[in-house]
Amino acid sequence: MKIEEKQDILLQPERIQLTRSGFLLVDPVIGRYKIPYKKIMAARIGIKDQKTGIYSEPELADISRDMRGDLILYDLQQRIWRIKTDLIEQPAGVILVELAVRASYIFLGGDIVCPDLKDEEIFEEIAYMAEKIQ
């Protein structure tokens, strides 16, 4: 499956595996898909309030390994990957912690990731920093 630049992607994988070089996702719609760590500039967790339907994005200090929610990735092509984790065993917190270990150059958590990455200037600045840290 070809994914266009700047197209936001929603996946609901049945399995997520963090390999040495990237995420390996098994999704019932697109099949197996790999997202290389070097293409990711930022990651956070989105938690949906069941009563209001509003998403919150906890700061890094507030994220625990057992935290459930969606994994949200920003890549260098200005795409947002929302990976729903409700079909897998691992909570989003475990995945984010593992990502921090495997790719320490990725900006993590709601406090680091600017909410307006659709702003071209802000995006370019954060993407530049992520690439330089690698």
Side-chain angles (χ1 to χ4, degrees):
M1 173 181 187
K2 181 164 174 44
I3 298 175
E4 298 297 323
E5 188 171 323
K6 295 188 181 183
Q7 176 184 0
D8 293 349
I9 299 113
L10 174 65
L11 299 173
Q12 190 167 16
E14 297 171 332
R15 189 171 45 133
I16 297 177
Q17 180 180 354
L18 280 78
T19 68
R20 287 182 10 170
S21 60
F23 286 94
L24 180 60
L25 308 168
V26 178
D27 184 89
V29 176
I30 66 168
R32 292 171 55 102
Y33 197 83
K34 186 166 186 173
I35 306 171
Y37 299 137
K38 67 182 179 181
K39 302 238 183 234
I40 301 169
M41 64 178 220
R44 61 185 175 188
I45 294 176
I47 301 171
K48 186 176 182 179
D49 183 296
Q50 297 303 322
K51 292 179 184 175
T52 65
I54 297 173
Y55 274 90
S56 65
E57 294 153 353
E59 294 183 9
L60 186 57
D62 297 328
I63 295 173
S64 64
R65 292 180 64 82
D66 62 342
M67 189 170 280
R68 295 252 172 219
D70 297 345
L71 185 63
I72 303 168
L73 307 175
Y74 293 84
D75 72 15
L76 295 171
Q77 284 74 43
Q78 207 167 358
R79 290 182 291 228
I80 299 171
W81 298 76
R82 181 174 294 273
I83 302 171
K84 302 190 89 37
T85 61
D86 48 341
L87 295 181
I88 62 171
E89 282 185 36
Q90 307 128 300
V94 168
I95 298 168
L96 198 68
V97 168
E98 184 67 23
L99 179 61
V101 170
R102 293 179 181 267
S104 60
Y105 48 85
I106 295 174
F107 293 96
L108 301 173
D111 56 341
I112 300 293
V113 179
C114 179
D116 194 13
L117 283 176
K118 294 290 185 186
D119 180 303
E120 198 71 33
E121 187 176 322
I122 293 170
F123 173 83
E124 291 295 328
E125 186 175 330
I126 293 175
Y128 175 79
M129 289 187 295
E131 287 179 321
K132 288 297 178 190
I133 293 170
Q134 285 184 36

